[in-house]
Amino acid sequence: MSETSSERDQVRLAKLDELRSAGIDPYPPRLDSPRSHQAAEAVSAFELAEARPSGDPVQVSLAGRMVSRRIMGKVGFAHIEDGSARLQIFVRRDVVGEQTYDLLFKKLLDLGDFIAVSGVMARTKTGEISCEARQMQLLAKSLEPMPDKWHGLKDVETRYRRRYVDLMVNPDVRATFVTRARMVQAIREYLDGQGFVEVETPVLQPIYGGAAARPFTTYHNQLKQDLYLRISFELYLKRLLVGGLERVYEIGRDFRNEGVSFKHNPEFTQLEWYEAYADYNVVMDRVEAMLAHVAQRLTGGTVISYQGHEIDLAPPWRRITLRDAIIEYADIDYTQFPTAEELANAMRAMGHRPENTSNRGKLIDSLLGNHVEPNLIQPTFVTEYPIEISPLAKKKAGDPTTVERFEYFIAGMEMGNAFTELNDPLDQRARMEWMQQLYGADDEERHPVDEDYLLAMSYGMPPNGGFGTGVDRLAMLFCDKSSIRDVLLFPHLRSLERDEADGE
RNA sequence: GGGCCGCUAGCUCAAUGGUAGAGCAAGGGACUUUUAAUCCCUAGGUUCAGAGUUCGAGCCUCUGGCGGCUCACCA
């Protein structure tokens, strides 16, 4: 599949040859002088020494990618960039010698090459702290040109397809993924501190469940078994409560075979936890506390800025019932319309265009998604959900149509879902069987009945509160990104079609 | 899936339907404190693909590909 070599490819390959004939390994296995400092460390070491009257020279050995170069005859400057910072190096021919200066630095190095530099830290005439090179070693030759040093890489598609290039030239992108990592770390810190145990449950599941979603299917050849990539962890984690683990959580990948959008990727990271002897009120308290903790860790405060909105994560958050929220934002009191048909008619009378469904819960959910959700900028818990769309949640005492469930919303996005978990095995079986009727056989969100889950529950499951949230959406929030693709290192994209005439 | 927008040199971008250009990057040269270094010279293109209209298409039309935004659907 290699194309006709362009001139620029030829030039780079010729440089490889020239390096080798000069006895220079373009890909040496290690540094001649082991790295002593990261760039940022070298700068602080110099600043420290500079502040002392009799500061000794600061000797350093650095390594990084050469990202700019300015040659002025027999002296030249370059910037190298490592994981900590960008640092200028100053190279003089009469210091490093002709072979290093003329052949290597001036002629055979390219922007993008990894190099090691040993020398002394100094301040240049213009005041920039730099490393004056005594020795220089090529560490890895780059064969592809770097993007424009000033404009960087802007093309969105290329940024996603070649994230490594995006990362090397756009510092904000690296910062985003560091922030994401710190966010996940802070989540674990909170939960671990609360006595939760982190566990891992199967990604490959013979029966999927725990969410209303369409799964990916796969197949185990030797076992001759159909398997599904999990759409949630829920049913496995709750089995652990049966087994006596009282507080469990999992952070991992879910897979849903649905549309992709700025907030949906086919695989995404989910956090779920389950806590014995807690109900959904306890869960709400925890969600507030956890996200306030994360915000503190990342920003030192609880107010974050998201797409121009100031969002305050400090507890307590607004709590509103689903019924009141829909009355407030859509002006419909769904309790006045006890059947799907009546509710759909009422919605039509209000100018909405509800889909044809006999599932009243789905209609209510669409009112929530279309009319309520976009308005919930500040963190908000919406509570008390219809039973038809909540097969795993416990009924509210005295109201058989409603369950103890909440979803929480921030910045107009649904961020997560929780309930007082249903632990009555007979009720659970009835609810699952009811779902079979409620969702037609052609409904792609219809769930199979998980007999082993029912068996587990029959052994006795403590009352508990469970919670699930999209880690990527939290990352969008804390990284101030409007698209999930900007917080995924390698977002899913269609494959590029290869030109078949392009030769193998 | 629908609608709108985009795709031109390695990168960032130009180009009334009339010879495809610039800056950076690259190659050659000058330059011993520059920093978007500067100066001189050079090379670099199937304008996403295909078809059509036209004397002539990067530009107009159609089909397809990929992407972005958005609507629908969903967690």
Side-chain angles (χ1 to χ4, degrees):
Chain A
M1 72 173 240
S2 74
E3 301 171 12
T4 1
S5 295
S6 68
E7 180 189 316
R8 87 183 149 73
D9 292 332
Q10 306 272 21
V11 167
R12 296 273 175 129
L13 293 174
K15 284 183 176 182
L16 278 184
D17 288 342
E18 203 169 340
L19 283 163
R20 290 195 167 106
S21 32
I24 299 171
D25 181 356
Y27 302 100
R30 57 191 63 81
L31 284 67
D32 292 337
S33 309
R35 179 153 82 150
S36 66
H37 297 71
Q38 280 197 308
E41 293 168 343
V43 169
S44 3
F46 176 75
E47 283 171 333
L48 217 61
E50 204 180 31
R52 295 191 186 120
S54 62
D56 293 326
V58 179
Q59 302 261 3
V60 297
S61 292
L62 306 169
R65 190 190 288 277
M66 186 173 78
V67 294
S68 72
R69 183 177 51 178
R70 296 169 294 284
I71 286 170
M72 258 136 299
K74 301 182 182 62
V75 64
F77 297 85
H79 277 93
I80 61 170
E81 189 171 284
D82 68 9
S84 69
R86 184 174 282 213
L87 179 72
Q88 181 170 262
I89 60 170
F90 174 45
V91 190
R92 288 163 31 151
R93 186 165 75 165
D94 55 17
V95 172
V96 299
E98 282 186 27
Q99 155 122 349
T100 297
Y101 189 84
D102 289 324
L103 187 70
L104 182 64
F105 179 65
K106 203 170 149 183
K107 185 174 182 200
L108 297 179
L109 282 191
D110 287 291
L111 298 189
D113 290 352
F114 279 93
I115 59 174
V117 174
S118 296
V120 179
M121 297 301 293
R123 216 176 258 280
T124 61
K125 194 182 279 180
T126 54
E128 180 165 348
I129 296 173
S130 307
C131 173
E132 187 174 340
R134 299 278 160 83
Q135 282 162 347
M136 177 180 293
Q137 182 192 9
L138 173 60
L139 296 179
K141 191 93 193 85
S142 159
L143 300 180
E144 289 289 327
M146 296 280 284
D148 188 287
K149 68 182 176 190
W150 188 246
H151 298 99
L153 179 65
K154 288 185 174 171
D155 182 78
V156 176
E157 183 173 354
T158 309
R159 287 185 45 226
Y160 295 154
R161 288 194 192 277
R162 302 188 188 176
R163 183 67 93 183
Y164 39 91
V165 182
D166 191 27
L167 284 164
M168 78 176 78
V169 299
N170 292 325
D172 171 63
V173 176
R174 286 201 296 265
T176 293
F177 290 101
V178 170
T179 298
R180 179 182 170 130
R182 291 196 177 128
M183 181 193 84
V184 173
Q185 186 179 30
I187 289 171
R188 286 201 165 96
E189 187 178 62
Y190 171 81
L191 291 171
D192 293 343
Q194 296 291 318
F196 281 80
V197 174
E198 182 172 6
V199 298
E200 293 168 280
T201 62
V203 170
L204 293 176
Q205 302 181 349
I207 294 178
Y208 62 95
R214 193 178 164 189
F216 287 94
T217 59
T218 187
Y219 181 73
H220 191 293
N221 289 335
Q222 198 189 350
L223 300 181
K224 297 184 169 57
Q225 182 181 24
D226 287 322
L227 291 167
Y228 302 95
L229 301 187
R230 65 183 173 186
I231 58 173
S232 87
F233 324 149
E234 174 152 5
L235 301 182
Y236 281 93
L237 290 178
K238 282 194 280 189
R239 283 171 169 94
L240 301 179
L241 300 183
V242 172
L245 295 173
E246 292 187 352
R247 296 181 180 188
V248 294
Y249 76 97
E250 179 164 4
I251 294 174
R253 211 62 65 84
D254 272 346
F255 307 83
R256 297 190 184 174
N257 205 339
E258 290 167 353
V260 299
S261 77
F262 71 95
K263 54 179 182 175
H264 297 86
N265 196 62
E267 55 180 292
F268 62 100
T269 302
Q270 181 87 347
L271 160 67
E272 290 188 28
W273 81 59
Y274 294 84
E275 176 176 2
Y277 316 118
D279 68 359
Y280 73 147
N281 291 304
V282 174
V283 176
M284 277 187 261
D285 295 342
R286 281 209 186 289
V287 172
E288 288 172 343
M290 178 180 76
L291 291 188
H293 172 83
V294 170
Q296 282 284 351
R297 274 285 184 269
L298 295 181
T299 71
T302 58
V303 178
I304 60 171
S305 170
Y306 183 74
Q307 304 293 299
H309 294 291
E310 293 285 302
I311 292 171
D312 191 351
L313 296 169
W317 299 353
R318 182 184 182 200
R319 299 184 185 191
I320 184 173
T321 65
L322 178 56
R323 178 191 173 201
D324 287 345
I326 290 177
I327 290 172
E328 179 174 339
Y329 293 105
D331 203 22
I332 292 178
D333 180 356
Y334 60 74
T335 61
Q336 303 293 309
F337 309 101
T339 68
E341 193 184 351
E342 288 169 287
L343 181 56
N345 286 335
M347 287 167 70
R348 281 187 203 98
M350 300 284 295
H352 305 316
R353 284 178 298 141
E355 62 169 319
N356 284 323
T357 175
S358 57
N359 187 333
R360 179 167 167 273
K362 279 194 160 190
L363 292 173
I364 294 170
D365 201 40
S366 76
L367 286 170
L368 169 65
N370 293 329
H371 301 279
V372 179
E373 179 171 335
N375 294 301
L376 302 180
I377 304 299
Q378 296 302 318
T380 304
F381 294 110
V382 175
T383 67
E384 327 304 323
Y385 275 63
I387 194 167
E388 302 96 305
I389 53 172
S390 313
L392 302 167
K394 185 168 283 195
K395 276 180 271 203
K396 258 190 101 61
D399 182 359
T401 69
T402 306
V403 295
E404 294 194 359
R405 172 178 174 184
F406 72 81
E407 294 183 304
Y408 78 106
F409 299 83
I410 304 176
M413 273 193 295
E414 185 204 329
M415 304 299 293
N417 183 22
F419 21 91
T420 303
E421 303 289 339
L422 178 54
N423 65 339
D424 173 343
L426 300 182
D427 189 5
Q428 183 68 79
R429 176 178 294 282
R431 302 271 284 276
M432 284 180 163
E433 286 169 355
W434 182 40
M435 285 296 126
Q436 298 293 303
Q437 301 162 9
L438 207 54
Y439 287 73
D442 56 333
D443 193 322
E444 285 161 340
E445 289 168 12
R446 178 179 157 138
H447 284 55
V449 173
D450 188 335
E451 287 293 342
D452 183 74
Y453 176 66
L454 290 169
L455 177 62
M457 196 179 282
S458 300
Y459 277 90
M461 178 187 289
N464 69 93
F467 172 71
T469 194
V471 172
D472 311 286
R473 289 189 189 170
L474 289 176
M476 289 167 67
L477 192 66
F478 285 108
C479 298
D480 194 11
K481 296 297 179 194
S482 61
S483 169
I484 196 171
R485 299 182 193 100
D486 288 325
V487 299
L488 296 171
L489 281 166
F490 300 101
H492 183 79
L493 298 178
R494 276 194 176 83
S495 299
L496 292 175
E497 214 164 358
R498 301 298 305 182
D499 186 349
E500 289 173 22
D502 198 18
E504 60 280 72

